[in-house]
Amino acid sequence: MSDSSPILDELRAMAVFATVVRCGSFAAGARALGLTRAVVSHHIRALEARLGVPLAQRSTRSFSLTPAGEAFRVHCERLLDEAHDGIRGMELLRAEPRGEVRITCSHHFGSKRIMPGLLEFRRRYPAIRVHVAMNDANVDLVQHGIELAVRAGPLADSALVARRLVREPTMLCASPAYLRRYRAPASAAELEQHRWVLYPPSQRAATVRVDGKELQIPVRGDVATDSAAARLAFVLAGEGIARLPAYDAAALIAAGELVHVLPEVQTAALEIFLVHSQRIGPSARLLRDFLLAAAADG
């Protein structure tokens, strides 16, 4: 009894025929397939017997297709191409990174600066599932099963690994309506007399630098929030002055919706870090490196 079915024999013979045609001779086809010329001839003769028509005219030195062979060649080459494409596709699928990663970040910064990177990451690695927790609080990574966290510095000492993602310039800003209601400060010292949008709610002073000298300005205000998005909304509504990152302020200043207060006064940059435990999985490591590279390019 044969150890292969007739259809498998026919498919094998079709692949042999297509290879011989592409190589231009029985000898070249045999070398490409790693077979003897006798085995190649056997497959094609069996195929001709099955079809009932000659496919090729051959001699010791020449090889040409009959009209039937020319018509049948198209189907055999298509079969061979489909087989090769299927194998390459499976190899790519096997090589494609797979897995799952959980990341947490604040609503505001996450929406503005992290989401574009995550969308590009998903386009690049569609087989990796991404879980994004938008949370303004610093959640416990281990307790919540989170591998990566985006956090603003300075960071408390811990066993976590921190990699700086971005260093964002900041500036003092207020709305035109606020500055019409309250005279704009003429110096850093006058900032103490103004209303502030307090962020975080525990804020009691603002650190500024003037002519190379660092000053601590006491601050007060009727609005306090732990949300960066709410801080921006309150400043736009004329509730007070606040230190805003450039990614929030620059476009609004250009549009006239905000005013850069005391441009000569320097404020500390906002430093954002990617934080994770000492050991993370391959998907989390891939996402970490992707976000770091995207931030460096940007």
Side-chain angles (χ1 to χ4, degrees), residues 79-113:
L79 173 72
L80 193 62
D81 289 339
E82 290 288 346
H84 286 161
D85 288 345
I87 291 171
R88 283 195 296 269
M90 289 301 100
E91 288 174 344
L92 290 173
L93 186 63
R94 182 182 62 192
E96 184 180 21
R98 294 179 169 273
E100 179 177 299
V101 58
R102 295 177 178 272
I103 182 171
T104 182
C105 53
S106 71
H107 288 87
H108 193 62
F109 183 82
S111 298
K112 285 182 172 285
R113 298 298 296 271

Side-chain angles (χ1 to χ4, degrees), residues 119-260:
L119 292 172
E120 180 59 32
F121 181 81
R122 281 287 301 146
R123 285 189 285 269
R124 184 82 58 87
Y125 304 106
I128 295 181
R129 296 184 299 276
V130 178
H131 296 256
V132 186
M134 295 283 194
N135 196 322
D136 289 338
N138 285 344
V139 300
D140 185 283
L141 302 192
V142 175
Q143 181 180 351
H144 290 82
I146 293 173
E147 293 173 282
L148 290 175
V150 181
R151 291 180 175 170
L155 299 173
D157 291 337
S158 72
L160 298 176
V161 177
R163 301 279 297 275
R164 189 168 73 185
L165 185 64
V166 294
R167 190 172 188 273
E168 188 76 24
T170 66
M171 57 193 75
L172 297 178
C173 295
S175 72
Y178 173 85
L179 295 176
R180 284 194 297 269
R181 191 181 320 134
Y182 304 99
R183 184 174 58 86
S187 67
E190 289 187 10
L191 287 169
E192 185 177 349
Q193 310 303 320
H194 278 264
R195 297 172 182 270
W196 286 70
V197 175
L198 304 178
Y199 174 88
S202 60
Q203 183 185 22
R204 294 292 177 267
T207 302
V208 301
R209 182 175 291 273
V210 182
D211 297 329
K213 183 179 179 181
E214 189 172 281
L215 302 175
Q216 292 289 323
I217 307 296
V219 297
R220 59 186 178 83
D222 296 327
V223 174
T225 179
D226 62 358
S227 164
R231 172 188 59 185
L232 177 59
F234 282 125
V235 174
L236 285 168
E239 291 288 346
I241 296 172
R243 178 176 72 104
L244 298 179
Y247 63 78
D248 270 342
L252 293 170
I253 291 172
E257 297 182 57
L258 286 178
V259 175
H260 187 180

